[in-house]
Each structure stands twice: as structure tokens, then as C-alpha cells.
Amino acid sequence: MINFDMLHQHYFLTMGPLLVVTATAFVVMILEFLLRRRAQAWLTGIAMLGVAVALAVAIAHFYAQPQLTLNTMVIDAIGSVFSVLILITTLLILWFTLDYSRRHHVAGEHTYLLLFAVVGALAMATAIDLITLYVGLELLSVASYVLVAVRTRSARSVEGGLKYLLMGSIGSAVLLYGMTFIYGISGYTNLVQIGMDATSLWASYPAVVALSFVLMLAGMGVKLALVPFHMWAPDAYDGAPSPVSAFLATLAKTAAFVMLLRVMLFLFNAVASNLFSWFGVLAAVTMIVGNLIALPQRNMKRLLAFSSVAQAGYVMVPFALFGATPYTDWYALFDSIAFYLFAYTFMTVGAFAVVEIVSRERGTVDADALIGLYRRSPWLAAALSVFVLSLAGMPLTAGFVGKVYIFTTAIHARGVWLAVILFATSVVSFYYYLGWLRRVFQRPAAEGAPADAGEGAAAQAAGAAAVQVVGAAAAPDVAPAPAPARQAAIHSLIAVCALATLVLGIVPASLLHPLALQRWF
């Protein structure tokens, strides 16, 4: 007999954005096969249109009552908030790609691979079944491996992709191994059902539950580039195209954080809540090591990679507080995680966009390429200052508000030691962030030389200029300076990111108020 109950499931309510992005990905894939390289900009535009529709659907359902579909997908506060963030990030990355593809060779598969990765990220945000969550994670991961290594003629790209593939595969295997222990002792893959039996499982199999927790945390630690599972990140970020680097630093991490949040709270928030102290250990080590390794970095993309490692440590602080915090205070923890991830997305994508422009114009990703930027482009210098100061945690920026929120939440939850480490490492980060700003406002050496320096200084300046010209001509991936009209896309992207960073820093209630209206649990 036919079961018509499935027809009454809330498919579009729970999976609307996911279905729209999936359909868009297939359309773009088919059009790419038919058109090949003749319409890369059009394919990116179609992808942006599809993602915009999915974002509209997600916003329309932002305050929807929790609904469960097929006992697998759910719409709730976690799914709604982070689906919106994932889709906003996708629009920013596609916007970035639109400019990047005009100046560099971009593989035809780039756009639809990115969309399929977003499908996986949305599944990670809305699924409550271990199998579905893992499938979403692997869809995101496999697409990311290819996106990093897609420039087959670049040794750095292939090396970064290979390291990411090896470490990511190990992380996936370790995560799956931890999931199998939970399934073995419970007989379920549904998070709700496992959560209902969490007390009895902990009482009967404490060692197995603890081992599962450690394995799953280690597996997700690889995906989040937490210390000591972080060493793939600098090579992958440096070798990947700049839009993909921004994608890994923002969207991929957001999806991994929301999956970690959902899994850990459903499975281990009862009598096993004392295990959450391990989050604190990882957060502390990640904040310290990430900032210390970033200090000597001169490669701008590698510095942003280690910066993202440290930023992940800041986001991990609220995770460590769930176990020791009463349920009534969880709202602040959820809000602090969501706010910081929103802020981090805008300032990181904007920073990568500025680095792309500077490195393209100067033919190098060395930090010295920033020297004299305020003279060449006061606008870019101002925008980069906003992003860098926000990453460091300067007042009137989104990064400052996010860090203060996490800091005060940690103090309130008696995680003083984590708050102290967060403050101390943020102070350390000012050294390398302000090092960028020092170069931005530093006068170039040729201009700074005294007028009577003699023929030696003049010859040295002329030689440096000649090296720059010859290097730019010899570099196959560096295009000549484009016309201002063709730079409108990336400059408008930077403007949006800078504006969002300032608005969230000056008027944080613009985001905190919508978050406060959510029923997180």
C-alpha cells in the first residue's frame, strides 16, 4: 500500500535553501558543459542569482517554528541562523570569483564545485542524523580538495591540495570512527534519539562515550584547523586561488562549527558534560600557538591562514563553557558564537580581497608589497586598516564587539582562565596586524631616500624598479593593471565587507537583536 504521509512533510520549510542551491548547481554544471569557457562570468552570475533566491527563502523562514522532516532534516534556530550566514558567505565568495575569473584562468568546474560544497554545508547546518551530517561534510570536503588543487600548473596549488586531501581524509576517518562507537552502543544514528538515551549510555559505557567524544573532536579539529591539527592550513590557503582561500577560512569553518555544535550538544550535554573541558584545552592551545606562529610570517596569505587558526580558537571558547553553564545562560553562548562568525566572515573575506589586489599589482604575496599602499590607493589602505584592526580587536569594529562578547560570557561562566588567554593572545596579535599597517603607511624606499644620497642610492632605486618591471612581465599569472571600470566588482565587495565590519562594530544590535529573538533550544 502506498504511504502518502511523505507528501505532507515540510520539505521546502526545512530544505528550501538546500534544494534551491542543489538545482542551481546542476544547472550551472550543465551550462558549463555546453558553453565551456565562453561564458564564465555568466555562470557565476547565474550561481549568484540562485544563491540569492536561496538566501531569500532562508530569511523568510528565519523565525519559523521548529519542524522535522523525514526524521533527518530540521529547521530550528541553529539551522536558520547558520544557513543565512552560509548563504551570505557564498554570495561574497562568488562576488570575489566574478572579479578573479576576469584576470586569472579559472577552471570551468570552479563554480558548480563551489555550489555543491555549499549544499554540503547547508546539510551540515540542518541535519540531525549522523549519516546525513557525514555525507554533507564529505560533500563539502571533497569539493574543497579539488578547488584547492585545481590549478594543476601551480606546484604550490597541487602541494596545498595534496596536504589538505591527506589531512582531511584522516580527519574524516577519525570522525567516522568516533561516530561508529556511538552507533554501536545506542543502535541509532538520529541525534534526538541518541540524546534521549545519553544518560543511560554514559552510565553503562563511560569509556566508550569518552573515546567517541575524543575521536569526534579530533576529526572535527582537522576540519577546523585547530592546533595540533592545523598544519595543512597555511599550504592550502597559500596554494589555492584567493576566493578559495577565503572560502576555506570562512564558509568551510562556519559549516564545521555548526556541525560540531549540533553533534556535541545532542550527544554529550547531559551527564557527560564534563568532557566539554577538552574544548577549553583545544581553545587555549589554538589561541596561543596560532598567534605565536603568525608573528614571523611574511607571506600575507600564510599569515591570514595562521590568523584563522587563532580566530578558530576564540570561537572555541564558548564551546568549552556549555558543560559548566546552566541551560538558562546558553542563549549568550549561542549568540556569541553566531555574532563572532558573522563578524569574522566579513573582515576575512575583505582582507583576502585586498591581499589579492595588492599581490596582483606588485607581483608578490610578501608583506612588503603593502609598503606605500596609502599613496597608491588611499581607499584600499583605509579598507585594509578596517579589516586588520577588526581582526585584532580594535574598538568600533565588529571583531572588538565579538571578542568582548566572548570575553564577558567566559567571565560570567567562570571560565576566567580562558578569558585571560583570549585577552593576552589578542594583545599578541596586534604585533603582526599592526606590522601590516606600518607597511601600508610607510613611505617607499625610493621616496624616502634623501635628495643628496648620491648616484649609489639612485642606481639602487632604479635597479629595484627594473626588477619589479621584469618580474611582473615574467610572471604568467599576473595581469597588467586593469582599467578602473573592470575593478568595480572587487572594490564593491571590499566596500560591502568594510561597511558590514563597521556597522556590526558601531551598531552591534543590528545583529544581536535578531539573534536574541531566536529560540535556540
XYZ file of all heavy atoms in Angstrom, residues 184-273:
665
model
N 27.259 2.021 17.754
C 27.374 0.658 18.272
C 26.728 0.470 19.627
O 26.124 -0.578 19.895
N 26.815 1.476 20.497
C 26.251 1.319 21.843
C 24.805 1.790 21.933
O 24.105 1.451 22.896
C 27.107 2.061 22.898
C 27.136 3.563 22.622
C 28.504 1.481 22.947
C 27.898 4.371 23.663
N 24.352 2.575 20.955
C 22.978 3.092 21.012
C 22.049 2.412 20.009
O 20.844 2.281 20.263
C 22.967 4.603 20.759
O 23.345 4.901 19.425
N 22.579 2.017 18.857
C 21.750 1.435 17.810
C 21.032 2.475 16.969
O 20.204 2.125 16.125
N 21.341 3.770 17.175
C 20.691 4.852 16.442
C 21.738 5.729 15.754
O 22.891 5.817 16.195
C 19.870 5.748 17.370
C 18.769 5.052 18.120
C 18.832 4.912 19.508
C 17.658 4.545 17.454
C 17.814 4.283 20.209
C 16.638 3.912 18.146
C 16.721 3.778 19.518
O 15.719 3.149 20.196
N 21.302 6.391 14.692
C 22.104 7.456 14.084
C 21.425 8.810 14.236
O 22.035 9.838 13.948
C 22.337 7.191 12.581
O 21.079 7.088 11.909
C 23.142 5.913 12.383
N 20.160 8.818 14.685
C 19.431 10.065 14.872
C 19.879 10.733 16.168
O 19.888 10.116 17.241
C 17.924 9.797 14.907
C 17.121 11.071 15.001
O 16.846 11.554 16.092
N 16.747 11.631 13.860
N 20.249 12.015 16.094
C 20.788 12.709 17.256
C 19.775 12.846 18.379
O 20.131 12.770 19.559
C 21.296 14.093 16.838
C 22.475 14.137 15.860
C 22.859 15.582 15.569
C 23.665 13.380 16.405
N 18.500 13.052 18.022
C 17.475 13.205 19.051
C 17.318 11.916 19.847
O 17.269 11.926 21.083
C 16.133 13.621 18.419
C 15.047 13.697 19.487
C 16.266 14.967 17.708
N 17.258 10.793 19.158
C 17.107 9.517 19.845
C 18.329 9.185 20.695
O 18.201 8.688 21.815
C 16.872 8.409 18.812
C 15.533 8.529 18.091
C 15.387 7.518 16.969
O 16.335 7.253 16.234
N 14.196 6.961 16.824
N 19.508 9.482 20.168
C 20.717 9.233 20.960
C 20.738 10.134 22.185
O 21.098 9.708 23.289
C 21.976 9.455 20.103
C 21.993 8.488 18.910
C 23.235 9.260 20.942
C 23.110 8.746 17.935
N 20.342 11.397 22.001
C 20.323 12.317 23.126
C 19.372 11.890 24.232
O 19.657 12.090 25.415
N 18.258 11.291 23.867
C 17.307 10.814 24.883
C 17.888 9.679 25.713
O 17.528 9.503 26.876
C 16.013 10.369 24.195
C 15.236 11.504 23.544
S 13.831 10.921 22.556
C 12.837 10.118 23.820
N 18.805 8.909 25.112
C 19.422 7.790 25.835
C 20.799 8.133 26.373
O 21.532 7.242 26.822
C 19.543 6.577 24.897
C 18.191 6.046 24.451
O 17.196 6.315 25.146
O 18.125 5.365 23.409
N 21.178 9.419 26.316
C 22.543 9.796 26.665
C 22.902 9.421 28.097
O 24.008 8.939 28.364
C 22.734 11.301 26.451
N 21.973 9.612 29.037
C 22.258 9.326 30.440
C 22.557 7.846 30.656
O 23.540 7.474 31.316
C 21.094 9.758 31.328
O 20.845 11.154 31.144
C 21.404 9.486 32.789
N 21.721 6.984 30.102
C 21.932 5.539 30.272
C 23.189 5.064 29.539
O 23.899 4.175 30.027
C 20.711 4.762 29.760
O 20.487 5.007 28.385
N 23.492 5.670 28.383
C 24.697 5.285 27.658
C 25.946 5.644 28.452
O 26.905 4.859 28.518
C 24.731 5.980 26.292
C 23.690 5.549 25.266
C 23.795 6.397 24.002
C 23.845 4.070 24.919
N 25.939 6.842 29.068
C 27.086 7.250 29.869
C 27.237 6.362 31.100
O 28.364 6.020 31.498
C 26.945 8.709 30.269
C 28.020 9.208 31.184
C 27.903 9.474 32.506
C 29.377 9.500 30.836
N 29.097 9.920 33.011
C 30.019 9.945 32.007
C 30.098 9.437 29.642
C 31.367 10.316 32.024
C 31.438 9.804 29.663
C 32.056 10.245 30.838
N 26.114 5.991 31.691
C 26.173 5.134 32.880
C 26.675 3.730 32.541
O 27.397 3.114 33.336
C 24.797 5.063 33.529
N 26.315 3.226 31.371
C 26.673 1.853 31.002
C 28.027 1.762 30.302
O 28.755 0.782 30.486
C 25.594 1.262 30.083
O 24.326 1.282 30.705
N 28.361 2.767 29.487
C 29.587 2.702 28.691
C 30.370 4.013 28.783
O 30.600 4.697 27.773
C 29.255 2.429 27.215
C 28.323 1.274 26.974
C 26.968 1.501 26.741
C 28.792 -0.034 26.954
C 26.099 0.452 26.505
C 27.931 -1.094 26.712
C 26.585 -0.843 26.484
O 25.733 -1.890 26.259
N 30.815 4.407 29.980
C 31.500 5.705 30.092
C 32.783 5.775 29.274
O 33.079 6.813 28.656
C 31.783 5.827 31.593
C 31.740 4.419 32.100
C 30.733 3.709 31.271
N 33.556 4.705 29.245
C 34.816 4.727 28.498
C 34.566 4.846 26.998
O 35.273 5.579 26.288
C 35.629 3.461 28.805
N 33.546 4.142 26.490
C 33.241 4.190 25.063
C 32.743 5.588 24.673
O 33.131 6.127 23.627
C 32.200 3.119 24.695
C 31.824 3.217 23.216
C 32.729 1.733 25.006
N 31.885 6.171 25.500
C 31.385 7.524 25.208
C 32.528 8.534 25.211
O 32.615 9.395 24.326
C 30.304 7.920 26.235
C 29.898 9.378 26.044
C 29.081 7.024 26.097
N 33.438 8.415 26.188
C 34.574 9.335 26.248
C 35.484 9.160 25.032
O 35.959 10.151 24.448
C 35.368 9.111 27.537
N 35.735 7.922 24.641
C 36.566 7.675 23.466
C 35.915 8.225 22.207
O 36.587 8.825 21.355
C 36.812 6.173 23.317
C 37.631 5.734 22.095
C 39.026 6.354 22.133
C 37.724 4.205 22.035
N 34.604 8.047 22.089
C 33.885 8.591 20.938
C 34.000 10.104 20.903
O 34.218 10.705 19.838
C 32.417 8.173 20.994
O 31.676 8.794 19.968
N 33.873 10.745 22.057
C 33.985 12.202 22.129
C 35.356 12.664 21.648
O 35.468 13.598 20.839
C 33.743 12.659 23.567
C 33.911 14.139 23.792
C 32.851 15.005 23.620
C 35.142 14.663 24.174
C 33.003 16.363 23.819
C 35.306 16.018 24.378
C 34.231 16.872 24.203
N 36.411 12.022 22.135
C 37.774 12.425 21.775
C 38.013 12.237 20.283
O 38.593 13.113 19.607
C 38.798 11.622 22.596
C 40.214 11.879 22.089
C 38.697 11.995 24.068
N 37.566 11.117 19.722
C 37.773 10.856 18.299
C 37.004 11.853 17.434
O 37.532 12.373 16.437
C 37.346 9.428 17.962
C 38.232 8.310 18.516
C 37.603 6.942 18.237
C 39.630 8.373 17.916
N 35.756 12.129 17.797
C 34.966 13.068 17.013
C 35.529 14.488 17.122
O 35.551 15.246 16.142
C 33.509 13.021 17.459
C 32.830 11.688 17.160
S 31.179 11.526 17.871
C 30.275 12.676 16.872
N 36.002 14.845 18.311
C 36.596 16.172 18.482
C 37.886 16.295 17.672
O 38.138 17.337 17.049
C 36.872 16.432 19.963
C 37.455 17.801 20.321
C 36.573 18.926 19.825
C 37.671 17.919 21.827
N 38.683 15.240 17.640
C 39.920 15.267 16.855
C 39.607 15.366 15.362
O 40.255 16.126 14.627
C 40.756 14.023 17.146
N 38.612 14.593 14.906
C 38.243 14.652 13.492
C 37.761 16.023 13.083
O 38.163 16.553 12.031
N 36.919 16.639 13.901
C 36.448 17.986 13.593
C 37.566 19.013 13.772
O 37.564 20.068 13.123
C 35.256 18.343 14.477
C 34.004 17.530 14.209
S 33.453 17.592 12.489
C 33.079 19.330 12.306
N 38.524 18.713 14.652
C 39.658 19.615 14.828
C 40.476 19.757 13.560
O 40.999 20.832 13.262
N 40.576 18.672 12.780
C 41.273 18.745 11.494
C 40.511 19.665 10.548
O 41.100 20.511 9.862
C 41.424 17.340 10.887
C 42.037 17.433 9.483
C 42.283 16.458 11.778
N 39.187 19.503 10.490
C 38.383 20.327 9.580
C 38.443 21.808 9.964
O 38.384 22.688 9.093
C 36.933 19.846 9.598
C 36.744 18.376 9.232
C 37.225 18.077 7.825
C 37.003 16.628 7.455
N 37.467 16.319 6.076
N 38.553 22.082 11.260
C 38.575 23.462 11.737
C 39.985 24.034 11.830
O 40.151 25.205 12.186
C 37.907 23.550 13.114
C 36.398 23.319 13.135
C 35.909 23.074 14.564
C 35.682 24.505 12.530
N 40.998 23.202 11.526
C 42.398 23.628 11.627
C 42.735 24.085 13.042
O 43.407 25.111 13.245
C 42.720 24.730 10.617
N 42.264 23.319 14.039
C 42.630 23.599 15.416
C 43.990 22.984 15.705
O 44.347 21.942 15.156
C 41.588 23.008 16.385
C 40.140 23.465 16.203
C 39.225 22.715 17.161
C 40.012 24.969 16.429
N 44.757 23.621 16.569
C 46.044 23.073 16.974
C 45.786 21.822 17.814
O 44.917 21.845 18.699
C 46.825 24.123 17.789
C 48.144 23.541 18.291
C 47.085 25.368 16.935
N 46.452 20.702 17.563
C 47.630 20.482 16.715
C 47.310 19.889 15.342
O 48.151 19.190 14.767
C 48.432 19.475 17.542
C 47.369 18.624 18.184
C 46.200 19.540 18.444
N 46.105 20.134 14.829
C 45.689 19.549 13.545
C 45.654 20.607 12.437
O 44.903 20.475 11.477
C 44.287 18.930 13.687
C 44.086 18.128 14.934
C 43.307 18.613 15.975
C 44.680 16.886 15.078
C 43.119 17.880 17.139
C 44.492 16.139 16.232
C 43.722 16.634 17.267
N 46.486 21.623 12.551
C 46.337 22.820 11.737
C 47.341 22.975 10.610
O 47.192 23.895 9.787
C 46.492 24.044 12.649
C 47.885 24.179 13.202
N 48.376 23.308 14.145
C 48.890 25.050 12.937
C 49.616 23.650 14.448
N 49.955 24.695 13.727
N 48.346 22.134 10.503
C 49.475 22.449 9.631
C 49.168 22.330 8.142
O 49.976 22.720 7.313
C 50.681 21.571 9.992
C 51.324 21.965 11.326
S 51.688 23.739 11.479
C 52.888 23.979 10.170
N 48.009 21.792 7.785
C 47.617 21.795 6.374
C 47.157 23.185 5.922
O 47.200 23.510 4.726
C 46.473 20.801 6.129
C 45.216 21.113 6.887
C 44.853 20.632 8.109
C 44.168 21.999 6.481
N 43.640 21.160 8.488
C 43.196 21.994 7.509
C 43.934 22.781 5.349
C 42.016 22.741 7.427
C 42.778 23.535 5.276
C 41.833 23.512 6.307
N 46.703 23.995 6.855
C 46.038 25.254 6.512
C 46.936 26.237 5.754
O 46.523 26.760 4.715
C 45.462 25.901 7.768
N 48.167 26.553 6.226
C 48.950 27.567 5.502
C 49.274 27.164 4.072
O 49.235 28.016 3.165
C 50.223 27.717 6.355
C 50.266 26.500 7.216
C 48.853 26.110 7.450
N 49.586 25.896 3.833
C 49.901 25.470 2.471
C 48.662 25.490 1.584
O 48.733 25.861 0.404
C 50.506 24.060 2.496
C 51.874 24.034 3.156
O 52.765 24.755 2.693
O 52.045 23.303 4.148
N 47.521 25.065 2.138
C 46.285 25.068 1.350
C 45.851 26.493 1.035
O 45.481 26.804 -0.108
C 45.184 24.324 2.099
N 45.908 27.388 1.999
C 45.495 28.772 1.775
C 46.430 29.469 0.793
O 45.999 30.251 -0.068
C 45.498 29.558 3.089
C 44.353 29.247 4.025
C 43.815 27.970 4.113
C 43.825 30.216 4.852
C 42.789 27.671 4.993
C 42.793 29.940 5.735
C 42.283 28.656 5.800
O 41.268 28.367 6.673
N 47.737 29.185 0.913
C 48.716 29.839 0.052
C 48.622 29.324 -1.384
O 48.771 30.092 -2.341
C 50.122 29.592 0.607
C 51.191 30.344 -0.156
O 50.873 31.401 -0.724
O 52.339 29.867 -0.188
N 48.377 28.024 -1.564
C 48.327 27.452 -2.897
C 47.024 27.658 -3.631
O 46.984 27.657 -4.858
N 45.943 27.832 -2.903
C 44.624 27.954 -3.529
C 44.429 29.337 -4.138
O 45.064 30.313 -3.709
C 43.535 27.690 -2.497
N 43.558 29.459 -5.146
C 43.152 30.796 -5.609
C 42.571 31.590 -4.448
O 41.965 31.016 -3.528
C 42.097 30.483 -6.674
C 42.371 29.085 -7.111
C 42.919 28.373 -5.915
N 42.724 32.885 -4.487
C 42.307 33.723 -3.347
C 40.835 33.543 -2.962
O 40.520 33.477 -1.758
C 42.593 35.194 -3.646
O 43.980 35.414 -3.728
N 39.875 33.444 -3.912
C 38.491 33.204 -3.489
C 38.323 31.876 -2.750
O 37.529 31.778 -1.811
C 37.708 33.199 -4.814
C 38.553 33.978 -5.758
C 39.965 33.683 -5.368
N 39.093 30.859 -3.158
C 39.009 29.563 -2.476
C 39.625 29.656 -1.086
O 39.121 29.064 -0.126
C 39.697 28.470 -3.311
C 39.687 27.137 -2.580
C 39.015 28.331 -4.669
N 40.713 30.409 -0.956
C 41.308 30.620 0.370
C 40.297 31.285 1.307
O 40.147 30.881 2.476
C 42.560 31.483 0.256
O 43.519 30.883 -0.576
N 39.603 32.305 0.803
C 38.570 32.959 1.607
C 37.437 31.992 1.941
O 36.883 32.018 3.042
C 38.031 34.181 0.870
N 37.093 31.133 0.987
C 36.055 30.121 1.202
C 36.444 29.165 2.328
O 35.641 28.863 3.217
C 35.836 29.359 -0.105
C 35.049 28.088 0.027
C 33.671 28.107 0.049
C 35.693 26.864 0.121
C 32.941 26.937 0.173
C 34.985 25.687 0.251
C 33.602 25.721 0.271
N 37.686 28.683 2.312
C 38.143 27.757 3.355
C 38.162 28.430 4.721
O 37.827 27.803 5.739
C 39.545 27.242 3.013
C 39.694 26.369 1.770
C 41.158 26.008 1.553
C 38.857 25.109 1.887
N 38.565 29.695 4.753
C 38.697 30.398 6.030
C 37.362 30.770 6.647
O 37.272 30.952 7.867
C 39.540 31.662 5.839
N 36.318 30.879 5.837
C 35.030 31.365 6.343
C 33.934 30.309 6.243
O 33.521 29.732 7.239
C 34.619 32.630 5.578
O 34.612 32.359 4.160
C 35.583 33.762 5.855
N 33.463 30.033 5.041
C 32.303 29.155 4.868
C 32.571 27.748 5.385
O 31.745 27.173 6.102
C 31.885 29.123 3.396
C 30.525 28.486 3.082
C 29.902 29.145 1.859
C 30.635 26.993 2.848
N 33.713 27.172 5.009
C 34.020 25.806 5.441
C 34.107 25.725 6.964
O 33.636 24.752 7.576
C 35.316 25.333 4.801
N 34.685 26.743 7.589
C 34.789 26.724 9.053
C 33.436 26.931 9.714
O 33.134 26.316 10.739
C 35.778 27.806 9.517
C 37.219 27.421 9.293
C 38.152 28.234 10.159
C 39.571 27.710 10.038
N 40.502 28.339 10.995
N 32.610 27.799 9.147
C 31.273 28.006 9.707
C 30.479 26.704 9.701
O 29.838 26.347 10.702
C 30.524 29.078 8.898
O 31.203 30.334 9.021
C 29.094 29.232 9.401
N 30.510 25.975 8.577
C 29.782 24.711 8.490
C 30.317 23.699 9.500
O 29.547 22.978 10.145
C 29.885 24.150 7.073
N 31.636 23.649 9.658
C 32.219 22.714 10.620
C 31.852 23.087 12.048
O 31.563 22.214 12.885
C 33.737 22.675 10.445
N 31.826 24.377 12.354
C 31.453 24.810 13.707
C 30.000 24.459 14.019
O 29.685 24.011 15.127
C 31.678 26.313 13.867
C 33.046 26.675 14.350
C 33.862 27.509 13.607
C 33.525 26.187 15.547
C 35.132 27.854 14.034
C 34.801 26.524 15.998
C 35.605 27.361 15.232
N 29.093 24.674 13.062
C 27.688 24.398 13.347
C 27.459 22.894 13.480
O 26.652 22.453 14.318
C 26.778 25.020 12.262
C 26.993 24.384 10.907
C 25.313 24.898 12.658
N 28.155 22.085 12.702
C 28.038 20.637 12.854
C 28.572 20.193 14.219
O 27.957 19.375 14.913
C 28.800 19.927 11.734
C 28.802 18.412 11.863
S 29.622 17.597 10.477
C 29.729 15.913 11.093
N 29.724 20.742 14.600
C 30.283 20.421 15.915
C 29.337 20.830 17.029
O 29.126 20.075 17.997
C 31.627 21.129 16.071
C 32.390 20.892 17.381
C 32.832 19.439 17.486
C 33.604 21.823 17.470
N 28.734 22.003 16.898
C 27.804 22.492 17.912
C 26.611 21.567 18.060
O 26.245 21.167 19.168
C 27.341 23.900 17.532
C 26.382 24.609 18.484
C 27.042 24.859 19.822
C 25.898 25.918 17.877
N 26.029 21.184 16.934
C 24.832 20.343 16.993
C 25.143 18.943 17.537
O 24.443 18.428 18.401
C 24.201 20.241 15.599
C 22.794 19.682 15.627
C 22.222 19.558 14.234
N 21.900 20.821 13.607
C 20.812 21.531 13.866
N 19.946 21.107 14.786
N 20.570 22.650 13.220
N 26.211 18.335 17.047
C 26.551 16.977 17.462
C 26.910 16.927 18.940
O 26.412 16.083 19.696
C 27.709 16.429 16.599
C 28.252 15.128 17.187
C 27.239 16.181 15.176
N 27.767 17.830 19.376
C 28.239 17.773 20.753
C 27.129 18.078 21.758
O 27.063 17.462 22.825
C 29.406 18.744 20.943
C 30.652 18.345 20.177
S 31.215 16.670 20.620
C 32.612 16.467 19.513
N 26.235 19.011 21.420
C 25.174 19.336 22.368
C 24.127 18.226 22.446
O 23.569 17.955 23.512
C 24.511 20.664 21.984
C 25.373 21.916 22.181
C 24.574 23.160 21.865
C 25.904 21.982 23.608
N 23.851 17.573 21.326
C 22.873 16.490 21.351
C 23.437 15.247 22.048
O 22.711 14.559 22.773
C 22.449 16.114 19.923
C 21.260 16.879 19.424
C 21.424 17.974 18.600
C 19.970 16.508 19.785
C 20.326 18.689 18.138
C 18.873 17.217 19.333
C 19.049 18.311 18.500
N 24.693 14.956 21.842
C 25.239 13.688 22.308
C 25.859 13.756 23.694
O 25.832 12.771 24.430
C 26.293 13.175 21.313
C 25.839 12.927 19.880
C 26.960 12.266 19.093
C 24.595 12.051 19.848
N 26.433 14.912 24.062
C 27.264 14.927 25.268
C 26.882 16.015 26.269
O 27.671 16.318 27.164
C 28.737 15.117 24.877
C 29.239 14.101 23.906
C 29.446 14.441 22.575
C 29.507 12.799 24.300
C 29.918 13.510 21.667
C 29.976 11.853 23.399
C 30.181 12.204 22.083
N 25.689 16.599 26.146
C 25.356 17.727 27.028
C 24.706 17.300 28.332
O 24.329 18.138 29.129
C 24.437 18.712 26.305
C 23.041 18.149 26.099
O 22.848 16.938 26.158
N 22.079 19.015 25.845
N 24.536 16.025 28.563
C 23.886 15.553 29.798
C 24.958 15.257 30.849
O 25.738 16.126 31.222
C 23.030 14.329 29.491
N 25.001 14.018 31.299
C 25.948 13.682 32.363
C 27.388 13.682 31.878
O 28.315 13.698 32.681
C 25.599 12.299 32.951
C 24.294 12.358 33.711
C 25.505 11.248 31.847
N 27.593 13.655 30.560
C 28.957 13.671 30.013
C 29.453 15.087 29.765
O 30.442 15.281 29.062
C 29.006 12.866 28.716
N 28.771 16.078 30.339
C 29.113 17.477 30.064
C 30.503 17.842 30.577
O 31.076 18.841 30.131
C 28.073 18.411 30.679
O 27.992 18.195 32.081
